[in-house]
């Protein structure tokens, strides 16, 4: 889920700029009086567009972050009779009905990056937290300060695709404890070769991605959701998934393709147009994949 930057010096507003919104709406083919599942409602941007696109539409909106649900409730207030909220992880959801369409906008919202106290970003000093659902116990600090060197190297390589995973893990174990995001990011930057330090992305980016994925168990949860979601669709109902990095996109691509109930409609993922990138640079890595439930599937 990608949102626009918000004010940092005050409590950040959960402002949501829905990514690939026109493309998603076109592919979802919203039906009048249809019932749609927004599995990652975030600030409510995509749900608002779905509700506005046809008469009598209903939305069931899920998020594991209570701040996101509060923001979505405000955004969707004009449609409050047509929206039902559910707090929790989309892989744990057990619907009592089938839907005309399902959407999921994966990853971290910009609200999380822009809210320093949540610990997702090293642009601000903050505790090493990274929990999307703050009722969970595992934090990034727990992983960094207590996991074994081999475990750290493994997750940095597997989930961050970090080539220097062993070197970074060894130095972390030698120099921990680390308390804050900036302390860890600056240390990582000091341990990598000079040419690596001034690359396209900050040297700590991949480690932070890996920590976030592990703290929130993102890829396991995504696989569970994608195996269950086809059963939640009505015949000819569509599922639209927006992902933001290659690990997510690979899971989406292969799981949709392997589902016997589904026909994949996007051979290649849909990506943002230049005009969207100009107004929302954070959309640059977004990829949208669509599949449709077969008429005769069970």
């Amino acid at each position: 889920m990608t949102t626009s930057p918000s004010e940092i010096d005050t409590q950040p507003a959960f402002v949501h700029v829905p990514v690939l919104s026109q493309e998603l709406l076109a592919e979802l083919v919203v039906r009048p009086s249809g019932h749609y599942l927004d599995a990652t409602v975030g600030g409510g941007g995509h749900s608002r567009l779905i509700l506005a696109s046809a008469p009598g539409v209903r939305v069931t909106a899920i998020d594991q972050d209570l701040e996101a649900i509060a923001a979505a409730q405000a955004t969707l207030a004009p449609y409050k009779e047509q929206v039902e909220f559910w707090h929790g992880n989309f892989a744990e959801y057990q619907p009592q009905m089938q839907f005309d369409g399902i959407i999921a906008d994966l990853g971290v919202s910009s609200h999380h990056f822009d809210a320093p106290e949540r610990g997702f970003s090293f642009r601000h000093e903050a505790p090493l937290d990274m929990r999307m659902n703050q009722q969970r116990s595992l934090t990034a600090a727990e992983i960094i300060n207590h996991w074994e060197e081999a475990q750290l190297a493994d997750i940095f390589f597997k989930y961050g695709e970090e080539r220097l995973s062993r070197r970074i893990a060894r130095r972390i174990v030698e120099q921990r404890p680390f308390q804050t995001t900036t302390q860890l990011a600056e240390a990582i930057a000091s341990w990598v070769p000079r040419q690596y330090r001034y690359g396209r992305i900050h040297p700590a980016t991949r480690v932070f991605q890996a920590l976030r994925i592990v703290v929130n168990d993102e890829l396991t949860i995504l696989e569970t959701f994608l195996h269950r979601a086809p059963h939640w669709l009505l015949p000819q109902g569509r599922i639209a998934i927006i992902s933001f990095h290659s690990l997510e996109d690979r899971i989406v691509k292969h799981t949709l393709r392997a589902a016997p109930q589904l026909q994949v409609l996007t051979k290649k993922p849909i990506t943002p147009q230049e005009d969207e990138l100009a107004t929302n640079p954070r959309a640059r890595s977004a990829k949208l994949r669509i599949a449709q439930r077969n008429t005769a599937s069970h």
Side-chain angles (χ1 to χ4, degrees), residues 90-91 218-228 251 255:
F90 57 27
E218 288 178 33
L219 300 185
T220 307
I221 285 167
L222 175 60
E223 286 179 344
T224 302
F225 167 70
L226 289 172
H227 281 108
R228 292 178 179 172
I251 291 170
T255 313

Side-chain angles (χ1 to χ4, degrees), residues 40-58:
T40 52
V41 72
H46 284 120
S47 277
R48 182 176 56 197
L49 294 169
I50 290 169
L51 288 158
S53 64
V57 172
R58 288 178 299 146

Side-chain angles (χ1 to χ4, degrees), residues 7-169:
E7 291 295 321
I8 303 303
D9 24 343
T10 60
Q11 179 65 28
F14 208 122
V15 181
H16 189 73
V17 177
V19 171
L20 288 165
S21 56
Q22 297 312 312
E23 293 86 347
L24 183 140
L25 274 183
E27 295 291 337
L28 203 58
V29 192
V30 178
R31 303 171 187 173
S33 302
H35 191 173
Y36 291 83
L37 174 66
D38 187 343
T40 52
V41 72
H46 284 120
S47 277
R48 182 176 56 197
L49 294 169
I50 290 169
L51 288 158
S53 64
V57 172
R58 288 178 299 146
V59 166
T60 295
I62 296 175
D63 210 284
Q64 60 183 333
D65 188 334
L66 286 168
E67 288 181 9
I69 286 182
Q73 285 171 331
T75 300
L76 304 177
Y79 303 97
K80 64 182 177 185
E81 305 302 322
Q82 296 159 252
V83 185
E84 180 184 356
F85 290 91
W86 190 84
H87 173 237
N89 195 283
F90 57 27
E92 297 162 355
Y93 182 61
Q94 295 182 320
Q96 305 303 307
M97 80 294 286
Q98 288 176 302
F99 298 96
D100 294 278
I102 297 170
I103 67 167
D105 183 0
L106 306 174
V108 183
S109 73
S110 291
H111 168 76
H112 290 128
F113 285 126
D114 291 341
E117 70 280 0
R118 299 296 292 270
F120 285 94
S121 170
F122 45 78
R123 288 187 294 122
H124 320 286
E125 186 168 14
L128 283 161
D129 190 327
M130 300 196 195
R131 291 171 298 167
M132 290 188 207
N133 182 348
Q134 294 185 294
Q135 294 171 352
R136 289 173 71 108
S137 57
L138 182 64
T139 65
E142 172 74 18
I143 294 170
I144 286 293
N145 293 321
H146 298 287
W147 284 23
E148 293 177 7
E149 181 182 326
Q151 286 179 288
L152 293 176
D154 186 47
I155 65 167
F156 298 159
F157 185 76
K158 185 177 179 182
Y159 299 122
E161 300 177 295
E162 173 54 71
R163 288 175 295 162
L164 301 178
S165 57
R166 287 185 178 152
R167 175 198 293 218
I168 292 170

